[in-house]
Amino acid sequence: ALIVGLFILLAKFVGFVQKIIMAPYFGTGHEADAFTVAFNSIVFTFCLFPSQMLSPFLPIFVETREKKGEEEAWKLAGTTGAITAVIMAVVIGAAIIGADYLVFAASSFESVATTALVIKLSRFMLPAAFFMALFYLFALLMNSYKRFALPAFGDSLNKIAAIVFLVLLAPLIGIFSLATGVVAGAAISLAVLVMAFKAKLPFLRHGVGLRHPGLVQLGRLLPPIIVGILIA
């Protein structure tokens, strides 16, 4: 609890520093507004769904590992990861194509230029949601082994990457430097967790059938979670 709490505080602090560094470049102008809407209203929403929907996977993975062994549990993880990747790829692809409709639903900027920038930024950053979905899965796997520091550090790592890319690229590509940092931070966070499990990765290639009890149980738990998210 202490480790997770400290990393949550660190993420909040790094986010505060990000705003301070962002201010001299963009102030409170239309670029800052566009980024805020694109990230908070569009990209974050697509990150929220998988983070909540994958939460029941943790007890299912632990139960499978205890009853059927390490290899069987990781086969289940591999299939869950493959299904998650395919679904997210399709959903994000559709969101990128229909980004203009999402932005018009999420914002009401009078400026045509600001609205157009929100659409471009949303399309640019939406792949971050794909990486974050797999990050959440690996974070649950890591938590199942009582390892909490790296998953808890993920949010801070995302923000640190955003700051680094902002400082390096802002003079060249403006607000897209921050957007690049968002995507890169998500990819780096996922890579860190994947490398932490490199000894287990060969098991992921095998997988289990779609009628595996663990997948069936996960499928039964998803509808009420989806309803809860939509109501929230």
Short mmCIF file of all heavy atoms in Angstrom, two decimals, residues 148-186:
data_model
loop_
_atom_site.label_atom_id
_atom_site.label_comp_id
_atom_site.label_asym_id
_atom_site.label_seq_id
_atom_site.Cartn_x
_atom_site.Cartn_y
_atom_site.Cartn_z
N PHE A 148 4.42 -4.78 -7.17
CA PHE A 148 3.54 -3.62 -7.35
C PHE A 148 4.26 -2.36 -7.82
O PHE A 148 3.62 -1.44 -8.32
CB PHE A 148 2.82 -3.31 -6.03
CG PHE A 148 2.02 -4.46 -5.49
CD1 PHE A 148 2.50 -5.23 -4.44
CD2 PHE A 148 0.80 -4.79 -6.04
CE1 PHE A 148 1.77 -6.29 -3.95
CE2 PHE A 148 0.05 -5.86 -5.56
CZ PHE A 148 0.55 -6.62 -4.51
N ALA A 149 5.57 -2.30 -7.65
CA ALA A 149 6.29 -1.05 -7.91
C ALA A 149 6.25 -0.66 -9.38
O ALA A 149 5.89 0.47 -9.72
CB ALA A 149 7.74 -1.17 -7.43
N LEU A 150 6.64 -1.58 -10.28
CA LEU A 150 6.69 -1.24 -11.70
C LEU A 150 5.33 -0.85 -12.26
O LEU A 150 5.21 0.16 -12.97
CB LEU A 150 7.30 -2.40 -12.50
CG LEU A 150 8.83 -2.47 -12.54
CD1 LEU A 150 9.28 -3.67 -13.37
CD2 LEU A 150 9.43 -1.19 -13.11
N PRO A 151 4.25 -1.63 -12.00
CA PRO A 151 2.94 -1.19 -12.50
C PRO A 151 2.53 0.17 -11.97
O PRO A 151 1.96 0.99 -12.69
CB PRO A 151 1.99 -2.30 -12.00
CG PRO A 151 2.86 -3.49 -11.84
CD PRO A 151 4.19 -2.96 -11.37
N ALA A 152 2.82 0.41 -10.68
CA ALA A 152 2.45 1.69 -10.08
C ALA A 152 3.25 2.84 -10.68
O ALA A 152 2.78 3.98 -10.71
CB ALA A 152 2.65 1.64 -8.57
N PHE A 153 4.46 2.54 -11.16
CA PHE A 153 5.31 3.57 -11.75
C PHE A 153 4.90 3.92 -13.19
O PHE A 153 5.36 4.91 -13.74
CB PHE A 153 6.77 3.10 -11.74
CG PHE A 153 7.76 4.12 -12.24
CD1 PHE A 153 7.88 5.35 -11.62
CD2 PHE A 153 8.57 3.84 -13.33
CE1 PHE A 153 8.79 6.29 -12.08
CE2 PHE A 153 9.48 4.77 -13.80
CZ PHE A 153 9.60 6.00 -13.17
N GLY A 154 4.01 3.10 -13.77
CA GLY A 154 3.64 3.30 -15.17
C GLY A 154 3.10 4.67 -15.47
O GLY A 154 3.49 5.31 -16.47
N ASP A 155 2.20 5.20 -14.64
CA ASP A 155 1.60 6.51 -14.88
C ASP A 155 2.66 7.60 -14.83
O ASP A 155 2.67 8.52 -15.67
CB ASP A 155 0.50 6.78 -13.85
CG ASP A 155 -0.35 7.98 -14.22
OD1 ASP A 155 -0.40 8.32 -15.42
OD2 ASP A 155 -0.98 8.57 -13.32
N SER A 156 3.57 7.51 -13.88
CA SER A 156 4.66 8.48 -13.78
C SER A 156 5.56 8.41 -15.01
O SER A 156 5.98 9.44 -15.55
CB SER A 156 5.50 8.22 -12.52
OG SER A 156 4.71 8.35 -11.36
N LEU A 157 5.85 7.18 -15.46
CA LEU A 157 6.70 7.00 -16.64
C LEU A 157 6.06 7.62 -17.87
O LEU A 157 6.75 8.25 -18.69
CB LEU A 157 6.96 5.51 -16.86
CG LEU A 157 7.98 5.13 -17.94
CD1 LEU A 157 9.33 5.75 -17.63
CD2 LEU A 157 8.11 3.61 -18.03
N ASN A 158 4.76 7.48 -18.00
CA ASN A 158 4.04 8.12 -19.12
C ASN A 158 4.23 9.63 -19.11
O ASN A 158 4.52 10.25 -20.14
CB ASN A 158 2.55 7.80 -19.05
CG ASN A 158 2.23 6.38 -19.46
OD1 ASN A 158 3.06 5.71 -20.07
ND2 ASN A 158 1.05 5.92 -19.13
N LYS A 159 4.06 10.21 -17.93
CA LYS A 159 4.16 11.67 -17.82
C LYS A 159 5.61 12.15 -18.01
O LYS A 159 5.83 13.22 -18.59
CB LYS A 159 3.61 12.13 -16.48
CG LYS A 159 2.10 11.96 -16.35
CD LYS A 159 1.60 12.46 -15.01
CE LYS A 159 0.08 12.51 -14.95
NZ LYS A 159 -0.55 11.19 -15.05
N ILE A 160 6.56 11.38 -17.51
CA ILE A 160 7.97 11.75 -17.70
C ILE A 160 8.33 11.73 -19.18
O ILE A 160 9.01 12.62 -19.69
CB ILE A 160 8.88 10.78 -16.90
CG1 ILE A 160 8.71 11.02 -15.40
CG2 ILE A 160 10.34 10.97 -17.30
CD1 ILE A 160 9.36 9.97 -14.53
N ALA A 161 7.85 10.70 -19.91
CA ALA A 161 8.09 10.62 -21.35
C ALA A 161 7.47 11.82 -22.06
O ALA A 161 8.08 12.40 -22.97
CB ALA A 161 7.52 9.32 -21.91
N ALA A 162 6.26 12.20 -21.63
CA ALA A 162 5.60 13.36 -22.25
C ALA A 162 6.43 14.62 -22.04
O ALA A 162 6.57 15.44 -22.95
CB ALA A 162 4.20 13.52 -21.67
N ILE A 163 7.00 14.78 -20.84
CA ILE A 163 7.83 15.96 -20.55
C ILE A 163 9.08 15.96 -21.42
O ILE A 163 9.46 16.98 -22.00
CB ILE A 163 8.20 15.99 -19.05
CG1 ILE A 163 6.96 16.27 -18.20
CG2 ILE A 163 9.27 17.05 -18.79
CD1 ILE A 163 7.20 16.12 -16.71
N VAL A 164 9.74 14.80 -21.51
CA VAL A 164 10.98 14.71 -22.30
C VAL A 164 10.72 15.05 -23.76
O VAL A 164 11.45 15.86 -24.36
CB VAL A 164 11.58 13.29 -22.17
CG1 VAL A 164 12.73 13.11 -23.16
CG2 VAL A 164 12.07 13.04 -20.75
N PHE A 165 9.70 14.46 -24.34
CA PHE A 165 9.40 14.74 -25.75
C PHE A 165 8.94 16.18 -25.95
O PHE A 165 9.21 16.79 -26.99
CB PHE A 165 8.35 13.75 -26.27
CG PHE A 165 8.91 12.43 -26.66
CD1 PHE A 165 9.08 11.42 -25.73
CD2 PHE A 165 9.31 12.18 -27.97
CE1 PHE A 165 9.61 10.19 -26.09
CE2 PHE A 165 9.84 10.96 -28.34
CZ PHE A 165 10.00 9.96 -27.40
N LEU A 166 8.23 16.72 -24.96
CA LEU A 166 7.81 18.12 -25.04
C LEU A 166 9.01 19.05 -25.11
O LEU A 166 9.09 19.93 -25.98
CB LEU A 166 6.95 18.47 -23.81
CG LEU A 166 6.59 19.94 -23.61
CD1 LEU A 166 5.73 20.44 -24.76
CD2 LEU A 166 5.87 20.12 -22.27
N VAL A 167 9.97 18.86 -24.23
CA VAL A 167 11.15 19.72 -24.20
C VAL A 167 11.99 19.57 -25.47
O VAL A 167 12.50 20.56 -26.02
CB VAL A 167 12.00 19.41 -22.95
CG1 VAL A 167 13.32 20.15 -22.98
CG2 VAL A 167 11.22 19.76 -21.68
N LEU A 168 12.13 18.32 -25.95
CA LEU A 168 12.99 18.07 -27.10
C LEU A 168 12.37 18.52 -28.43
O LEU A 168 13.07 19.02 -29.31
CB LEU A 168 13.33 16.58 -27.18
CG LEU A 168 14.22 16.00 -26.07
CD1 LEU A 168 14.41 14.51 -26.27
CD2 LEU A 168 15.57 16.70 -26.04
N LEU A 169 11.05 18.34 -28.55
CA LEU A 169 10.43 18.49 -29.87
C LEU A 169 9.48 19.68 -30.01
O LEU A 169 9.07 20.00 -31.12
CB LEU A 169 9.66 17.21 -30.23
CG LEU A 169 10.49 15.92 -30.33
CD1 LEU A 169 9.58 14.75 -30.68
CD2 LEU A 169 11.58 16.06 -31.38
N ALA A 170 9.14 20.33 -28.90
CA ALA A 170 8.17 21.43 -28.98
C ALA A 170 8.57 22.52 -29.97
O ALA A 170 7.72 23.01 -30.73
CB ALA A 170 7.94 22.04 -27.59
N PRO A 171 9.87 22.92 -30.03
CA PRO A 171 10.22 23.96 -31.02
C PRO A 171 10.04 23.50 -32.46
O PRO A 171 9.93 24.35 -33.36
CB PRO A 171 11.72 24.21 -30.72
CG PRO A 171 11.92 23.75 -29.31
CD PRO A 171 11.00 22.58 -29.15
N LEU A 172 10.00 22.19 -32.68
CA LEU A 172 9.91 21.66 -34.05
C LEU A 172 8.48 21.34 -34.47
O LEU A 172 8.07 21.69 -35.58
CB LEU A 172 10.77 20.40 -34.18
CG LEU A 172 12.27 20.56 -33.89
CD1 LEU A 172 12.96 19.20 -33.93
CD2 LEU A 172 12.90 21.51 -34.91
N ILE A 173 7.72 20.67 -33.59
CA ILE A 173 6.39 20.21 -34.00
C ILE A 173 5.27 20.68 -33.06
O ILE A 173 4.15 20.20 -33.15
CB ILE A 173 6.36 18.66 -34.11
CG1 ILE A 173 6.76 18.00 -32.79
CG2 ILE A 173 7.26 18.18 -35.24
CD1 ILE A 173 6.64 16.47 -32.81
N GLY A 174 5.58 21.61 -32.17
CA GLY A 174 4.54 22.20 -31.33
C GLY A 174 3.86 21.20 -30.41
O GLY A 174 4.51 20.35 -29.80
N ILE A 175 2.54 21.28 -30.33
CA ILE A 175 1.78 20.46 -29.39
C ILE A 175 1.88 18.97 -29.71
O ILE A 175 1.68 18.12 -28.82
CB ILE A 175 0.30 20.90 -29.39
CG1 ILE A 175 -0.45 20.34 -28.17
CG2 ILE A 175 -0.39 20.51 -30.68
CD1 ILE A 175 0.02 20.84 -26.85
N PHE A 176 2.25 18.63 -30.92
CA PHE A 176 2.41 17.22 -31.27
C PHE A 176 3.61 16.60 -30.56
O PHE A 176 3.73 15.37 -30.52
CB PHE A 176 2.52 17.05 -32.79
CG PHE A 176 1.20 17.13 -33.48
CD1 PHE A 176 0.72 18.34 -33.95
CD2 PHE A 176 0.42 16.00 -33.66
CE1 PHE A 176 -0.51 18.43 -34.57
CE2 PHE A 176 -0.81 16.07 -34.28
CZ PHE A 176 -1.28 17.30 -34.74
N SER A 177 4.49 17.43 -30.01
CA SER A 177 5.58 16.89 -29.18
C SER A 177 5.02 16.22 -27.94
O SER A 177 5.46 15.14 -27.54
CB SER A 177 6.54 18.01 -28.79
OG SER A 177 5.85 19.02 -28.04
N LEU A 178 4.01 16.85 -27.33
CA LEU A 178 3.38 16.27 -26.15
C LEU A 178 2.59 15.02 -26.52
O LEU A 178 2.60 14.02 -25.78
CB LEU A 178 2.46 17.32 -25.51
CG LEU A 178 2.02 17.11 -24.06
CD1 LEU A 178 3.21 16.91 -23.15
CD2 LEU A 178 1.18 18.28 -23.59
N ALA A 179 1.93 15.06 -27.66
CA ALA A 179 1.18 13.90 -28.13
C ALA A 179 2.12 12.73 -28.42
O ALA A 179 1.80 11.58 -28.12
CB ALA A 179 0.39 14.26 -29.38
N THR A 180 3.29 13.04 -28.98
CA THR A 180 4.29 11.99 -29.22
C THR A 180 4.73 11.37 -27.91
O THR A 180 4.91 10.15 -27.81
CB THR A 180 5.51 12.58 -29.96
OG1 THR A 180 5.08 13.16 -31.19
CG2 THR A 180 6.55 11.51 -30.24
N GLY A 181 4.91 12.19 -26.89
CA GLY A 181 5.29 11.70 -25.58
C GLY A 181 4.24 10.78 -24.97
O GLY A 181 4.58 9.80 -24.29
N VAL A 182 2.97 11.08 -25.21
CA VAL A 182 1.89 10.24 -24.69
C VAL A 182 1.97 8.84 -25.30
O VAL A 182 1.91 7.83 -24.59
CB VAL A 182 0.51 10.88 -24.98
CG1 VAL A 182 -0.61 9.88 -24.69
CG2 VAL A 182 0.33 12.14 -24.16
N VAL A 183 2.13 8.77 -26.61
CA VAL A 183 2.19 7.47 -27.29
C VAL A 183 3.47 6.73 -26.91
O VAL A 183 3.45 5.54 -26.59
CB VAL A 183 2.11 7.66 -28.82
CG1 VAL A 183 2.22 6.30 -29.52
CG2 VAL A 183 0.81 8.35 -29.21
N ALA A 184 4.59 7.45 -26.91
CA ALA A 184 5.87 6.83 -26.56
C ALA A 184 5.87 6.36 -25.11
O ALA A 184 6.38 5.27 -24.80
CB ALA A 184 7.02 7.81 -26.80
N GLY A 185 5.30 7.14 -24.21
CA GLY A 185 5.25 6.77 -22.81
C GLY A 185 4.45 5.49 -22.59
O GLY A 185 4.85 4.63 -21.80
N ALA A 186 3.33 5.36 -23.30
CA ALA A 186 2.52 4.15 -23.19
C ALA A 186 3.28 2.93 -23.70
O ALA A 186 3.26 1.86 -23.09
CB ALA A 186 1.21 4.32 -23.95
#
